Amino acid sequence: MNDPRDHLDPYETTETHVERLLGRALNSFDLPDAMVERLESALAHSTALHSSHHSSSLHRTTYRHTYLLADGSALVLWELTHNAGRDGAEQHELYTEEAEARLAASRLPAGPLPEWTVERADGRPLGEDDDLAALSALLARPIPAQPRMYVPDNSADHARRVLRRAENEDRPGERTARRLRIAFAHHITQVFGRHCPVEGGRDAGFTLYEHQFLLLDGTEVSLWEVEHTATPDGRHMCEVYETEAAARGAMEARSRVV
């Protein structure tokens, strides 16, 4: 089954679909080379709508693309589309795992609403008022601890991407990067999320994630990722630290209330 948005060309081949998908994604260069090579052998594809959020300022949708490869295995890509760019034009991003797509969606300017909040408990779609209520509840209380469930899915490459997007000068160094090369499973937890006043009298968003890695030698290593908008131009910035204390210290240094 072809992408439901591609109604103008219902006979699009899987090869053309893959080329178009990679060509329009802003971050296609960030996909593992081995995965892109595997996609070259895709024989068929299917696309399903995973979640959708629409408000007066943000339109955000996540799609699940599944490919049948020549060796009989399946490969999944998660596509996030949104209008959060400067000109409001639709933008596309690709991720190899659902958790990363959720993180990317949470960084969009409308606020850190997780992908799984797009429906009520009774299955009815959420409206904008419900979104605001859910966001207010999230920011008003600590996020409860989630059970640690490690996922063995390109974990070493996930660690590499987390470290690569860090902009702080005191980010973890080569020693930590070498250890994480033997990571075979990981778990992502959102630990903190709040808007706080910063210098200049404006509010900035702060979100703290713990990326927990299980290594081949049985040890566990965590990276603490801070996403915030406490920048001169209000853009999103990523910082990564080796300890929770260092990450919270960085947030405190950039805000008046943490």
Side-chain angles (χ1 to χ4, degrees):
M1 183 178 71
N2 289 324
D3 189 325
R5 294 165 295 166
D6 298 334
H7 57 279
L8 295 179
D9 187 7
Y11 304 106
E12 180 183 45
T13 66
T14 296
E15 180 181 6
T16 301
H17 174 82
V18 170
E19 290 178 354
R20 188 173 51 80
L21 193 71
L22 296 176
R24 71 190 179 197
L26 298 176
N27 63 334
S28 59
F29 64 88
D30 207 23
L31 295 175
D33 292 339
M35 170 172 283
V36 176
E37 291 176 2
R38 291 183 66 203
L39 277 172
E40 294 177 356
S41 70
L43 302 176
H45 68 281
S46 174
T47 295
L49 174 65
H50 181 66
S51 64
S52 183
H53 166 84
H54 298 278
S55 67
S56 59
S57 60
L58 176 68
H59 299 282
R60 183 190 72 205
T61 308
T62 303
Y63 295 92
R64 186 179 191 269
H65 300 280
T66 305
Y67 299 91
L68 175 64
L69 307 185
D71 61 5
S73 63
L75 188 153
V76 174
L77 282 178
W78 299 86
E79 182 182 22
L80 172 65
T81 69
H82 61 83
N83 65 334
R86 291 186 177 181
D87 57 358
E90 185 176 71
Q91 297 184 342
H92 303 261
E93 302 173 17
L94 284 177
Y95 297 93
T96 59
E97 51 192 276
E98 181 184 359
E100 288 197 330
R102 288 176 178 171
L103 287 178
S106 73
R107 298 181 190 122
L108 297 178
L113 284 174
E115 286 287 320
W116 54 83
T117 62
V118 297
E119 293 183 349
R120 302 175 187 264
D122 60 9
R124 290 184 294 128
L126 278 173
E128 186 174 357
D129 291 341
D130 299 296
D131 286 340
L132 293 175
L135 178 58
S136 298
L138 175 64
L139 300 181
R141 65 180 185 271
I143 296 172
Q146 300 294 320
R148 183 175 302 189
M149 299 178 62
Y150 285 112
V151 178
D153 187 9
N154 295 320
S155 299
D157 192 62
H158 173 75
R160 177 186 62 81
R161 293 197 299 272
V162 171
L163 291 172
R164 187 171 67 179
R165 63 181 176 242
E167 298 184 49
N168 52 309
E169 294 184 359
D170 54 345
R171 60 187 176 273
E174 182 59 29
R175 177 177 174 275
T176 299
R178 284 199 304 270
R179 288 193 68 196
L180 289 170
R181 288 171 190 165
I182 61 171
F184 76 94
H186 67 280
H187 175 70
I188 306 171
T189 304
Q190 184 176 334
V191 179
F192 176 91
R194 186 174 301 170
H195 281 75
C196 304
V198 295
E199 185 177 355
R202 63 182 180 85
D203 282 352
F206 291 86
T207 309
L208 175 63
Y209 300 97
E210 182 184 10
H211 300 261
Q212 302 157 308
F213 297 91
L214 182 62
L215 309 187
L216 288 173
D217 60 8
T219 60
E220 297 174 299
V221 175
S222 287
L223 294 178
W224 298 84
E225 180 182 22
V226 176
E227 291 281 346
H228 67 83
T229 57
T231 51
D233 57 357
R235 73 176 180 87
H236 281 71
M237 180 177 180
C238 169
E239 303 179 21
V240 177
Y241 298 91
E242 293 193 30
T243 67
E244 182 178 7
R248 289 186 177 273
M251 289 193 294
E252 186 174 4
R254 288 162 176 76
S255 66
R256 297 201 296 266
V257 179
V258 174

